[in-house]
Amino acid sequence: MTVQLPVDTATLRAREKAIAEKYIGGTPWLMIAWGLGNFTLWLALWPLTLTGALPLWAGFIIACVCVTQSYLPSHDAQHDIIVPRSSRWHWLNELFGHIVIFPLGLPFRTARTTHLEHHRHANDPALDPDYNVHAPSAAAAIWKSLQNRQPRGAGSKRYGQILMALGTPDAKAAMIDAVLMNLFNLALLCGLAWSGYAIEAALLWWLPRQIAITYINFYLSWAPHHPATETGRYRETRAFRSIWGNIGSSGMQYHIIHHLYPNIRLNWTPAAFRELRPILEARGCELGGLKG
Amino acid sequence: MAIIRLLLTLQPLLFGLGFLAPLAVQIITRTGLTPPFGLTPMLAGLLVGGTLGAIANLRGSWI
């Protein structure tokens, strides 16, 4: 069936908004269960492997998944999806955001402030905090992710530079959190290592974290914005088809919906995409042949 | 503030001595490897971790 679309942009926008609003609001129980379950599972890996109940190699594989999956529930909290700002229970949104991202070693307020700047300035070489992940090919993006996190790598400095330039109270808090978390992570790793748990710390936290950062840089930043040459509401990001499917790419095939309506919960973006698709086509969005 | 700046500047060296060194010691011990030149596992671990950390600190990169 062919959908007949009105041609004037005001009507298109009104229809787009009406569809999107159906997917906004409510309590995202799946994201809550994902965040808390994932964090609990990662924590449980420590006693399970230290007591020998779980082999360390199995713990390593599970830890890679847990650390990688610790970002997205917190990302929904960054957008106040867990509990909206207008609610008196909004502090639960903040608490959730702080807790569930812990395995990744990234402070919640740092993640939120830089991520909201990314939304404001996506693909802007000077202002997008995530611009450094962009590269001409998938292999180059993975290599760049590794280079960016080196002690004097461009990515290590960029968040700090952007937060300094912002200079808002939120940006200052994000800076302090980043420094303290950095030192706390180092102290915790060293403490575990000198207490005789260096191999466990390496395989349950340090190495999974490196793998997770590479995955997140690739699938959450590089792939949905590639080639990152355009800006503007309908061209700054895209839909794409991942060889690993929607679950394997952590829902990023539908990242265009997230940029258009950041307060739609992650697991509802595919349904929103299917309904909005004709409008996105009319707007000239890059949909990568993704049908739904 | 100066202490925090110093810690951040020396982070690769601290990571080398604080994490990589005991990691090397525990790998040597668990695998039963014998360090060369009669070195003890502890000394070998400190040499490996300290050297890698110092190089990363000077180069600004681990890779």
Side-chain angles (χ1 to χ4, degrees):
Chain A
M1 188 181 77
T2 307
V3 178
Q4 293 297 317
L5 287 170
V7 285
D8 73 287
T9 52
T11 313
L12 262 186
R13 184 64 185 269
R15 282 196 58 190
E16 177 194 308
K17 200 161 172 282
I19 293 170
E21 277 173 356
K22 291 195 285 181
Y23 295 94
I24 295 170
T27 304
W29 291 112
L30 179 69
M31 297 308 292
I32 293 169
W34 170 350
L36 296 178
N38 185 66
F39 177 68
T40 309
L41 177 60
W42 179 74
L43 273 187
L45 291 176
W46 295 85
L48 286 172
T49 52
L50 291 176
T51 57
L54 184 74
L56 195 51
W57 64 264
F60 167 65
I61 293 168
I62 299 168
C64 285
V65 175
C66 287
V67 179
T68 304
Q69 294 308 317
S70 67
Y71 179 76
L72 283 168
S74 164
H75 169 257
D76 271 19
Q78 289 167 34
H79 289 287
D80 302 302
I81 292 171
I82 307 300
V83 183
R85 272 187 193 272
S86 54
S87 167
R88 68 189 177 103
W89 299 104
H90 181 251
W91 61 272
L92 282 172
N93 181 85
E94 307 300 280
L95 181 64
F96 177 85
H98 281 286
I99 290 172
V100 299
I101 203 173
F102 181 82
L104 195 58
L106 176 66
F108 176 60
R109 292 195 294 188
T110 311
R112 172 189 265 160
T113 308
T114 53
H115 183 64
L116 295 182
E117 281 305 293
H118 162 69
H119 273 271
R120 283 186 200 106
H121 305 290
N123 297 350
D124 182 323
L127 298 173
D128 181 354
D130 297 338
Y131 190 79
N132 272 0
V133 302
H134 297 304
S137 67
I142 291 169
W143 178 240
K144 204 163 182 190
S145 168
L146 293 172
Q147 287 179 311
N148 276 341
R149 82 189 75 144
Q150 298 309 308
R152 285 203 290 272
S156 305
K157 292 180 195 157
R158 190 165 176 90
Y159 273 21
Q161 287 166 342
I162 292 210
L163 291 172
M164 289 271 273
L166 269 175
T168 61
D170 281 350
K172 284 176 187 161
M175 277 279 278
I176 293 167
D177 286 3
V179 169
L180 293 179
M181 181 66 104
N182 209 346
L183 295 176
F184 175 75
N185 287 343
L186 180 66
L188 195 54
L189 267 180
C190 295
L192 282 165
W194 283 107
S195 306
Y197 303 113
I199 295 172
E200 288 79 3
L203 293 179
L204 296 183
W205 195 21
W206 182 76
L207 191 53
R209 192 167 163 253
Q210 302 308 316
I211 292 166
I213 294 170
T214 308
Y215 175 93
I216 289 167
N217 282 169
F218 183 85
Y219 262 126
L220 279 66
S221 286
W222 180 80
H225 291 282
H226 184 67
T229 50
E230 293 183 71
T231 54
R233 180 172 171 82
Y234 296 99
R235 297 293 298 177
E236 66 191 15
T237 183
R238 62 173 185 156
F240 67 99
R241 186 175 292 282
S242 163
I243 56 167
W244 304 107
N246 196 41
I247 291 175
S249 60
S250 294
M252 290 303 116
Q253 292 187 141
Y254 306 97
H255 194 65
I256 191 166
I257 299 299
H258 174 61
H259 267 255
L260 292 172
Y261 294 94
N263 44 359
I264 294 180
R265 66 186 74 167
L266 175 71
N267 56 305
W268 281 2
T269 54
F273 175 84
R274 284 189 285 274
E275 210 173 335
L276 284 167
R277 195 176 199 288
I279 295 172
L280 301 181
E281 276 178 341
R283 288 288 194 180
C285 296
E286 172 55 55
L287 303 182
L290 193 66
K291 298 289 179 199
Chain B
M1 199 63 198
I3 293 171
I4 288 177
R5 192 164 289 140
L6 181 69
L7 288 173
L8 291 175
T9 308
L10 294 177
Q11 207 170 0
L13 181 62
L14 295 173
F15 182 80
L17 290 171
F19 182 66
L20 292 182
L23 179 64
V25 172
Q26 285 162 46
I27 290 172
I28 291 167
T29 310
R30 285 203 203 177
T31 55
L33 288 170
T34 309
F37 313 117
L39 293 171
T40 61
M42 177 62 79
L43 201 53
L46 284 168
L47 269 174
V48 169
T51 306
L52 289 174
I55 291 170
N57 230 125
L58 289 170
R59 292 182 62 235
S61 177
W62 292 94
I63 53 177

Coordinates of all heavy atoms in Angstrom, one line a residue, chain A residues 56 143 146-147 149-153 179-180 182-183 186 189-202 206, chain B residues 4 7-8 11-12 14-15 17-27 30 42 46 56-63:
Chain A
L56 N 37.0 -18.6 35.0 CA 37.3 -17.3 34.7 C 37.1 -16.9 33.2 O 36.7 -15.8 32.9 CB 38.8 -17.0 35.1 CG 39.2 -15.5 35.2 CD1 38.3 -14.7 36.0 CD2 40.6 -15.4 35.7
W143 N 40.4 1.3 14.8 CA 41.8 1.8 15.1 C 41.8 3.1 15.7 O 42.5 3.4 16.7 CB 42.7 1.8 13.8 CG 44.1 2.2 14.0 CD1 44.7 3.3 13.4 CD2 45.1 1.6 14.8 NE1 46.0 3.4 13.8 CE2 46.2 2.4 14.7 CE3 45.1 0.5 15.7 CZ2 47.4 2.1 15.4 CZ3 46.3 0.3 16.4 CH2 47.4 1.0 16.2
L146 N 40.9 3.0 19.4 CA 42.1 2.6 20.2 C 43.0 3.8 20.4 O 43.5 4.1 21.5 CB 42.8 1.5 19.6 CG 42.1 0.1 19.6 CD1 42.9 -0.9 18.7 CD2 41.9 -0.4 21.0
Q147 N 43.2 4.6 19.3 CA 44.2 5.7 19.4 C 43.6 6.8 20.3 O 44.3 7.4 21.0 CB 44.4 6.3 18.0 CG 45.3 5.4 17.1 CD 45.4 6.0 15.7 OE1 44.5 6.4 15.1 NE2 46.7 6.2 15.3
R149 N 41.9 6.7 22.9 CA 41.9 6.6 24.4 C 43.3 6.5 24.9 O 43.5 6.1 26.1 CB 41.0 5.4 24.8 CG 41.6 4.1 24.7 CD 40.6 3.0 24.9 NE 39.7 2.8 23.7 CZ 39.3 1.7 23.3 NH1 39.5 0.6 24.0 NH2 38.5 1.6 22.2
Q150 N 44.3 6.7 24.1 CA 45.7 6.7 24.6 C 45.9 7.9 25.5 O 45.2 8.9 25.4 CB 46.7 6.7 23.4 CG 46.5 5.5 22.5 CD 46.6 4.2 23.3 OE1 47.5 4.0 24.1 NE2 45.6 3.4 23.1
P151 N 46.9 7.8 26.4 CA 47.1 8.9 27.4 C 47.1 10.3 26.7 O 46.5 11.3 27.3 CB 48.4 8.6 28.0 CG 48.6 7.1 27.9 CD 47.9 6.8 26.6
R152 N 47.7 10.5 25.6 CA 47.7 11.8 25.0 C 46.9 11.7 23.6 O 47.1 12.5 22.7 CB 49.1 12.3 24.7 CG 49.8 12.8 26.0 CD 50.9 13.8 25.7 NE 52.1 13.3 25.1 CZ 53.1 12.7 25.8 NH1 53.1 12.7 27.1 NH2 54.2 12.2 25.2
G153 N 46.0 10.8 23.6 CA 45.1 10.7 22.4 C 44.1 11.8 22.3 O 43.8 12.4 23.3
V179 N 37.5 13.4 36.5 CA 38.9 13.3 37.1 C 38.8 12.3 38.3 O 39.7 11.4 38.4 CB 39.3 14.7 37.5 CG1 40.6 14.6 38.4 CG2 39.6 15.6 36.3
L180 N 37.8 12.5 39.1 CA 37.7 11.7 40.3 C 37.5 10.2 39.9 O 38.1 9.3 40.5 CB 36.6 12.1 41.2 CG 36.8 13.5 41.9 CD1 35.7 13.9 42.8 CD2 38.1 13.5 42.7
N182 N 38.3 8.8 37.1 CA 39.6 8.3 36.5 C 40.5 7.8 37.6 O 41.1 6.7 37.5 CB 40.2 9.5 35.8 CG 41.0 9.1 34.6 OD1 41.3 7.9 34.5 ND2 41.3 10.0 33.8
L183 N 40.7 8.6 38.6 CA 41.6 8.2 39.7 C 41.1 7.1 40.6 O 41.8 6.2 41.0 CB 41.9 9.4 40.6 CG 42.7 10.6 39.9 CD1 42.9 11.8 40.8 CD2 44.1 10.1 39.4
L186 N 41.6 3.8 38.7 CA 43.0 3.4 38.8 C 43.3 2.8 40.2 O 43.9 1.8 40.3 CB 43.9 4.6 38.5 CG 45.4 4.4 38.5 CD1 45.8 3.4 37.4 CD2 46.2 5.7 38.4
L189 N 41.6 -0.6 40.5 CA 42.4 -1.7 39.8 C 43.7 -2.0 40.4 O 44.0 -3.2 40.6 CB 42.7 -1.1 38.4 CG 41.7 -1.4 37.2 CD1 42.2 -0.8 35.9 CD2 41.5 -2.9 37.0
C190 N 44.4 -1.0 40.9 CA 45.7 -1.3 41.5 C 45.5 -2.0 42.9 O 46.2 -2.9 43.2 CB 46.5 0.0 41.8 SG 46.9 0.8 40.2
G191 N 44.5 -1.6 43.6 CA 44.2 -2.2 44.9 C 43.8 -3.7 44.7 O 44.4 -4.6 45.4
L192 N 43.0 -4.0 43.7 CA 42.7 -5.4 43.4 C 43.9 -6.2 43.0 O 44.1 -7.3 43.4 CB 41.6 -5.5 42.3 CG 40.2 -5.1 42.7 CD1 39.3 -4.9 41.4 CD2 39.6 -6.3 43.5
A193 N 44.7 -5.5 42.1 CA 45.9 -6.2 41.6 C 46.9 -6.6 42.7 O 47.4 -7.7 42.8 CB 46.6 -5.3 40.5
W194 N 47.2 -5.6 43.6 CA 48.2 -5.9 44.7 C 47.6 -6.7 45.8 O 48.3 -7.2 46.6 CB 48.7 -4.5 45.2 CG 49.8 -4.0 44.3 CD1 49.6 -2.9 43.4 CD2 51.1 -4.5 44.0 NE1 50.8 -2.7 42.7 CE2 51.7 -3.7 43.0 CE3 51.8 -5.6 44.5 CZ2 53.0 -3.9 42.5 CZ3 53.1 -5.8 44.0 CH2 53.7 -5.0 43.0
S195 N 46.2 -6.9 45.8 CA 45.6 -7.8 46.8 C 45.6 -9.3 46.2 O 45.1 -10.2 46.9 CB 44.2 -7.4 47.0 OG 44.1 -6.1 47.4
G196 N 46.2 -9.5 45.0 CA 46.3 -10.8 44.5 C 45.2 -11.2 43.5 O 45.1 -12.3 43.1
Y197 N 44.5 -10.1 43.0 CA 43.4 -10.4 42.1 C 43.6 -9.7 40.7 O 42.7 -9.3 40.1 CB 42.0 -10.0 42.7 CG 41.7 -10.7 44.0 CD1 41.7 -9.9 45.1 CD2 41.5 -12.0 44.0 CE1 41.4 -10.6 46.4 CE2 41.2 -12.7 45.2 CZ 41.2 -11.9 46.4 OH 40.9 -12.6 47.6
A198 N 44.9 -9.6 40.3 CA 45.2 -8.9 39.1 C 44.6 -9.5 37.9 O 44.0 -8.9 37.0 CB 46.7 -8.7 38.9
I199 N 44.7 -10.9 37.8 CA 44.1 -11.6 36.6 C 42.6 -11.4 36.5 O 42.0 -11.2 35.5 CB 44.6 -13.0 36.6 CG1 46.1 -13.1 36.4 CG2 43.9 -13.8 35.5 CD1 46.7 -14.5 36.6
E200 N 42.0 -11.5 37.7 CA 40.5 -11.4 37.8 C 40.1 -10.0 37.4 O 39.2 -9.8 36.6 CB 40.0 -11.7 39.2 CG 40.0 -13.2 39.5 CD 41.4 -13.7 39.9 OE1 42.4 -12.9 40.0 OE2 41.6 -14.9 40.2
A201 N 40.9 -9.0 37.9 CA 40.5 -7.6 37.6 C 40.7 -7.3 36.1 O 40.0 -6.6 35.5 CB 41.4 -6.6 38.4
A202 N 41.7 -7.9 35.5 CA 42.0 -7.8 34.1 C 40.9 -8.4 33.2 O 40.4 -7.8 32.3 CB 43.3 -8.4 33.7
W206 N 39.1 -4.7 33.3 CA 39.9 -3.9 32.5 C 39.7 -4.2 31.0 O 39.5 -3.4 30.2 CB 41.4 -3.9 32.9 CG 42.2 -3.0 32.1 CD1 42.3 -1.7 32.2 CD2 43.0 -3.4 31.0 NE1 43.1 -1.2 31.2 CE2 43.6 -2.2 30.4 CE3 43.3 -4.6 30.4 CZ2 44.4 -2.2 29.3 CZ3 44.1 -4.6 29.3 CH2 44.7 -3.5 28.8
Chain B
I4 N 46.6 16.2 42.2 CA 45.8 15.6 41.2 C 46.4 15.7 39.8 O 46.4 14.7 39.0 CB 44.3 16.2 41.2 CG1 43.7 15.7 42.5 CG2 43.5 15.7 40.0 CD1 42.3 16.3 42.8
L7 N 49.2 13.2 39.5 CA 48.7 11.8 39.4 C 48.2 11.6 38.0 O 48.4 10.5 37.4 CB 47.5 11.6 40.4 CG 47.9 11.5 41.9 CD1 46.7 11.4 42.7 CD2 48.8 10.3 42.1
L8 N 47.5 12.6 37.4 CA 47.0 12.4 36.0 C 48.1 12.3 35.0 O 48.1 11.6 34.1 CB 46.0 13.5 35.7 CG 44.6 13.5 36.4 CD1 43.8 14.7 36.1 CD2 43.8 12.2 36.1
Q11 N 49.8 9.0 35.1 CA 48.8 7.9 35.1 C 49.4 6.6 34.4 O 49.2 5.5 35.0 CB 47.5 8.3 34.5 CG 46.3 7.5 35.0 CD 45.0 8.1 34.6 OE1 44.9 9.1 34.0 NE2 44.0 7.4 35.1
P12 N 50.0 6.7 33.2 CA 50.5 5.5 32.6 C 51.5 4.8 33.4 O 51.5 3.6 33.5 CB 51.1 6.0 31.3 CG 50.3 7.3 31.0 CD 50.1 7.9 32.3
L14 N 51.8 5.0 36.7 CA 51.1 4.4 37.9 C 50.4 3.1 37.5 O 50.4 2.2 38.2 CB 50.2 5.4 38.5 CG 50.8 6.7 39.1 CD1 49.7 7.7 39.5 CD2 51.7 6.3 40.3
F15 N 49.8 3.1 36.3 CA 49.1 2.0 35.8 C 50.0 0.8 35.6 O 49.8 -0.4 35.9 CB 48.3 2.3 34.5 CG 47.5 1.2 33.9 CD1 46.3 0.9 34.4 CD2 48.0 0.4 32.9 CE1 45.5 -0.2 33.9 CE2 47.3 -0.7 32.4 CZ 46.0 -0.9 32.9
L17 N 53.0 0.3 37.1 CA 53.5 -0.2 38.3 C 52.4 -0.8 39.2 O 52.6 -1.8 39.9 CB 54.3 0.9 39.1 CG 55.6 1.3 38.5 CD1 56.2 2.5 39.2 CD2 56.7 0.2 38.5
G18 N 51.2 -0.1 39.2 CA 50.2 -0.5 40.1 C 49.3 -1.6 39.6 O 48.8 -2.4 40.4
F19 N 49.2 -1.8 38.3 CA 48.3 -2.8 37.7 C 49.1 -3.9 36.9 O 49.0 -5.1 37.1 CB 47.2 -2.2 36.9 CG 46.2 -3.3 36.4 CD1 45.4 -4.0 37.3 CD2 46.1 -3.5 35.1 CE1 44.6 -5.0 36.8 CE2 45.2 -4.5 34.6 CZ 44.5 -5.2 35.5
L20 N 49.9 -3.4 35.9 CA 50.5 -4.3 35.0 C 51.6 -5.1 35.8 O 51.8 -6.3 35.5 CB 51.2 -3.6 33.8 CG 50.2 -3.0 32.8 CD1 51.0 -2.3 31.7 CD2 49.2 -4.0 32.3
A21 N 52.3 -4.5 36.7 CA 53.3 -5.2 37.5 C 52.8 -6.4 38.2 O 53.2 -7.6 38.0 CB 54.1 -4.3 38.4
P22 N 51.8 -6.2 39.1 CA 51.2 -7.4 39.8 C 50.5 -8.4 38.8 O 50.5 -9.6 39.1 CB 50.2 -6.8 40.8 CG 50.0 -5.4 40.3 CD 51.2 -5.0 39.6
L23 N 50.0 -7.9 37.7 CA 49.4 -8.8 36.7 C 50.5 -9.7 36.2 O 50.3 -10.9 36.1 CB 48.7 -7.9 35.6 CG 48.1 -8.7 34.5 CD1 46.9 -9.6 35.0 CD2 47.6 -7.8 33.4
A24 N 51.6 -9.1 35.8 CA 52.7 -9.9 35.3 C 53.2 -10.9 36.4 O 53.4 -12.1 36.0 CB 53.9 -9.0 34.9
V25 N 53.3 -10.5 37.6 CA 53.7 -11.4 38.7 C 52.8 -12.6 38.8 O 53.2 -13.7 38.9 CB 53.8 -10.6 40.1 CG1 54.0 -11.6 41.2 CG2 54.8 -9.5 40.0
Q26 N 51.5 -12.3 38.8 CA 50.5 -13.4 39.0 C 50.4 -14.3 37.7 O 50.2 -15.5 37.9 CB 49.1 -12.8 39.3 CG 49.1 -12.3 40.7 CD 48.0 -11.3 41.0 OE1 46.8 -11.6 40.6 NE2 48.3 -10.2 41.7
I27 N 50.7 -13.7 36.6 CA 50.7 -14.6 35.4 C 52.0 -15.5 35.4 O 51.9 -16.7 35.2 CB 50.7 -13.8 34.1 CG1 49.4 -13.1 33.9 CG2 51.1 -14.6 32.9 CD1 49.3 -12.1 32.7
R30 N 51.2 -18.2 38.2 CA 50.2 -19.2 37.9 C 50.6 -20.1 36.8 O 50.2 -21.3 36.7 CB 48.9 -18.5 37.6 CG 48.2 -17.9 38.8 CD 46.7 -17.8 38.5 NE 46.1 -16.8 39.4 CZ 44.9 -16.4 39.4 NH1 44.1 -16.9 38.5 NH2 44.4 -15.5 40.3
M42 N 58.5 -11.2 41.3 CA 58.1 -9.8 41.7 C 59.0 -8.8 40.9 O 58.5 -7.8 40.4 CB 58.3 -9.6 43.2 CG 58.1 -8.2 43.7 SD 56.4 -7.7 43.5 CE 55.6 -8.5 44.8
L46 N 57.7 -6.1 38.1 CA 58.0 -4.6 38.3 C 58.7 -4.1 37.1 O 58.5 -2.9 36.6 CB 58.7 -4.4 39.6 CG 57.9 -4.4 40.9 CD1 58.8 -4.4 42.1 CD2 56.9 -3.3 40.9
A56 N 55.0 4.4 27.9 CA 53.7 5.0 27.6 C 53.6 6.4 28.1 O 53.0 7.3 27.4 CB 52.6 4.1 28.2
N57 N 54.2 6.7 29.2 CA 54.2 8.0 29.8 C 55.0 9.0 28.9 O 54.6 10.1 28.6 CB 54.8 8.0 31.2 CG 53.9 8.8 32.2 OD1 53.6 8.2 33.2 ND2 53.6 10.0 31.8
L58 N 56.1 8.5 28.4 CA 57.0 9.3 27.6 C 56.4 9.6 26.2 O 56.4 10.7 25.7 CB 58.4 8.7 27.4 CG 59.2 8.8 28.7 CD1 60.5 7.9 28.5 CD2 59.6 10.2 29.0
R59 N 55.8 8.5 25.6 CA 55.3 8.5 24.2 C 53.9 9.1 24.2 O 53.4 9.5 23.2 CB 55.3 7.1 23.6 CG 56.6 6.6 23.3 CD 56.5 5.2 22.6 NE 55.8 5.3 21.4 CZ 54.7 4.6 21.0 NH1 54.2 3.7 21.8 NH2 54.2 4.8 19.8
G60 N 53.2 9.0 25.3 CA 51.8 9.5 25.4 C 50.9 8.4 24.7 O 49.7 8.7 24.4
S61 N 51.3 7.2 24.6 CA 50.5 6.2 23.9 C 51.1 4.8 24.3 O 52.3 4.6 24.5 CB 50.6 6.3 22.4 OG 49.9 5.3 21.8
W62 N 50.1 3.8 24.5 CA 50.5 2.4 24.8 C 50.7 1.7 23.5 O 51.2 0.6 23.5 CB 49.4 1.8 25.6 CG 49.2 2.3 26.9 CD1 48.3 3.2 27.4 CD2 49.9 1.9 28.1 NE1 48.5 3.5 28.7 CE2 49.4 2.6 29.2 CE3 50.9 0.9 28.4 CZ2 49.9 2.5 30.5 CZ3 51.4 0.8 29.7 CH2 50.9 1.5 30.7
I63 N 50.2 2.2 22.4 CA 50.3 1.4 21.1 C 51.1 2.1 20.1 O 51.4 3.3 20.1 CB 48.9 1.1 20.5 CG1 48.1 2.5 20.4 CG2 48.1 0.2 21.4 CD1 46.7 2.3 19.7

